[in-house]
Amino acid sequence: MEIVNVSDYEVVAKQKLPKMVFDYYASGAEDQWTLHENRKAFERIRFRPRILIDVTKVDLSTTVLGFKISMPIMIAPTAMQKMAHPEGEFATARASSAAGTIMTLSSWATSSVEEVASTGPGIRFFQLYVYKNRHVVEQLVRRAERAGFKAIALTVDTPRLGRREADIKNRFSLPPYLTLKNFEGLDLGKMEKTADSGLASYVAGQIDRSLSWKDVKWLQTITNLPILVKGVMTAEDTRLAVQAGVQGIIVSNHGARQLDYVPATISSLEEVVKAAQGRVPVFLDGGVRRGTDVFKALALGASGIFIGRPVVFSLAAEGEAGVRNVLQMLRDEFELTMALAGCCSVKEINRNYIQTEADMIRSISRL
């Protein structure tokens, strides 16, 4: 099959991967309403392009937490990438570095922070789950720091694992030849086969349900790395995040894998951006499959976006070359969108270039 866009990789991945693995990557929580809405909400946003603008040179580069990157398209943390391809996180790290962008490594990676660092230079963030055993958390953060990771993305939407029915039906568990590498030495690297989802049982046993804002403060005492909170969906929590002194916010519904019937992230973005009042950068993940999606997110105030599933699907299909291609296709589409909309640099993208459903309703009611 000829691959011409990011979504084509999902089709190939479905053919190549064992059902349990594909379903783990692809599925959402419960009715999967939010899973579909993450995509559909992008489709409801229209462009207001400007014409007769010299777009000979279009500059996609931007800065994230002071790091210059080639484009505002980064890699979200996705767990257990060696289920997709033997090279797993190594391949993703190399592809990300070659594209000049940021990779976020999952706590539940099948490669350790040290192993990923050994692939060579690159700007990398570390996604953190807070375990009941805080000593484990502290060790992990220290290791990420030592391995040269530049920020912590603290996942805040997972006191318990969402109900992912495909995983229950498939009795999902990490294949026995793999481990959660960051926890191998701590006897937390294996996942038992259970009567339902092995991951849900693992989370119930290990992840701290009592996690609260005071723990964000605690995290700031054990690391000087910037902390991004990943999983913010409301203005209220945005204000609390800013008060807590975090360095950034990732608007995320965990790929629609946690609470079903939350809005799409692109629908929640503007609320969060307005509440942040420019005091911290706001990023988005969830549902990005096109360069047009990237532009829409930036027009609504995001400083950049993260992609998750496209990475594991392309990894399954073609390994490192697949991930490189996904990043290149999104880059090319985003550059084309900018040119056709009449923008020569990322900082020129603003709210005037798009029209949301709310805008359309407002303009009709004015009539």
Side-chain angles (χ1 to χ4, degrees):
M1 167 175 165
E2 192 187 353
I3 302 277
V4 296
N5 62 45
V6 168
S7 298
D8 284 344
Y9 275 116
E10 182 166 358
V11 180
V12 178
K14 189 168 189 176
Q15 291 161 355
K16 286 187 90 156
L17 289 172
K19 181 173 163 42
M20 179 190 81
V21 172
F22 177 80
D23 286 354
Y24 169 73
Y25 290 142
S27 65
E30 296 185 354
D31 299 326
Q32 304 192 120
W33 182 87
T34 299
L35 182 70
H36 301 299
E37 178 66 7
N38 268 356
R39 279 296 310 130
K40 285 198 289 228
F42 274 110
E43 295 175 8
R44 295 194 296 267
I45 298 169
R46 307 280 179 264
F47 289 122
R48 299 180 69 248
R50 300 301 305 272
I51 44 100
L52 294 175
I53 287 165
D54 179 351
V55 289
T56 314
K57 288 194 181 73
V58 176
D59 180 8
L60 275 63
S61 69
T62 192
T63 307
V64 168
L65 301 184
F67 298 100
K68 179 128 191 197
I69 54 175
S70 67
M71 56 182 175
I73 300 164
M74 298 166 282
I75 292 181
T78 49
M80 313 178 220
Q81 292 181 11
K82 283 187 180 175
M83 294 194 305
H85 188 276
E87 289 181 9
E89 294 85 1
F90 294 103
T92 303
R94 289 191 294 260
S96 175
S97 182
T101 193
I102 293 167
M103 169 192 181
T104 317
L105 183 71
S106 169
S107 275
W108 296 336
T110 37
S111 316
S112 68
V113 287
E114 294 83 5
E115 288 172 333
V116 170
S118 76
T119 62
I123 307 160
R124 302 187 185 101
F125 294 173
F126 181 69
Q127 176 271 332
L128 182 67
Y129 280 117
V130 176
Y131 279 59
K132 290 174 183 171
N133 182 341
R134 291 307 156 87
H135 181 61
V136 166
V137 179
E138 207 162 334
Q139 271 185 296
L140 199 50
V141 170
R142 296 260 175 281
R143 284 171 54 198
E145 283 178 330
R146 277 201 300 272
F149 283 70
K150 299 295 188 237
I152 301 292
L154 175 69
T155 296
V156 293
D157 59 10
T158 312
R160 298 173 57 174
L161 201 72
R163 183 177 171 83
R164 306 166 192 178
E165 291 175 358
D167 292 349
I168 296 169
K169 287 175 184 163
N170 293 331
R171 310 250 190 284
F172 173 80
S173 185
L174 183 64
Y177 59 88
L178 294 173
T179 57
L180 301 178
K181 261 291 200 280
N182 288 316
F183 300 98
E184 207 172 32
L186 304 160
D187 284 338
L188 296 169
K190 282 289 183 202
M191 196 177 296
E192 305 303 320
K193 267 278 191 203
T194 62
D196 47 17
S197 158
L199 183 62
S201 303
Y202 180 85
V203 168
Q206 301 301 335
I207 302 302
D208 193 347
R209 292 184 187 186
S210 79
L211 191 69
S212 71
W213 288 108
K214 72 177 183 333
D215 300 289
V216 177
K217 286 291 188 201
W218 169 76
L219 194 56
Q220 290 165 335
T221 67
I222 67 161
T223 183
N224 290 321
L225 290 179
I227 295 165
L228 304 169
V229 284
K230 174 180 180 288
V232 173
M233 293 289 286
T234 64
E236 296 91 322
D237 284 332
T238 302
R239 288 189 281 269
L240 291 172
V242 171
Q243 280 167 22
V246 304
Q247 276 79 24
I249 287 169
I250 304 172
V251 176
S252 174
N253 53 33
H254 210 114
R257 296 158 75 79
Q258 284 299 99
L259 180 62
D260 199 14
Y261 296 98
V262 293
T265 48
I266 194 67
S267 307
S268 302
L269 176 61
E270 201 166 21
E271 173 181 333
V272 171
V273 167
K274 282 177 175 165
Q277 295 181 322
R279 287 185 286 187
V280 296
V282 175
F283 305 95
L284 170 140
D285 68 32
V288 175
R289 299 293 180 272
R290 285 278 187 193
T292 49
D293 300 335
V294 180
F295 189 103
K296 288 170 183 179
L298 267 62
L300 283 164
S303 293
I305 64 90
F306 291 88
I307 52 167
R309 289 185 181 89
V311 171
V312 286
F313 293 149
S314 58
L315 191 58
E318 293 171 354
E320 183 185 336
V323 182
R324 280 183 185 235
N325 193 35
V326 151
L327 290 167
Q328 189 62 49
M329 285 191 296
L330 280 173
R331 182 190 173 87
D332 292 344
E333 287 181 14
F334 178 51
E335 184 178 13
L336 180 60
T337 305
M338 283 176 67
L340 294 178
C343 286
C344 297
S345 71
V346 167
K347 60 180 175 294
E348 286 175 18
I349 301 172
N350 65 50
R351 188 64 171 77
N352 297 327
Y353 286 95
I354 58 157
Q355 187 182 42
T356 63
E357 279 200 315
D359 298 337
M360 296 172 218
I361 292 163
R362 270 196 295 275
S363 56
I364 290 164
S365 65
R366 273 199 215 100
L367 299 172

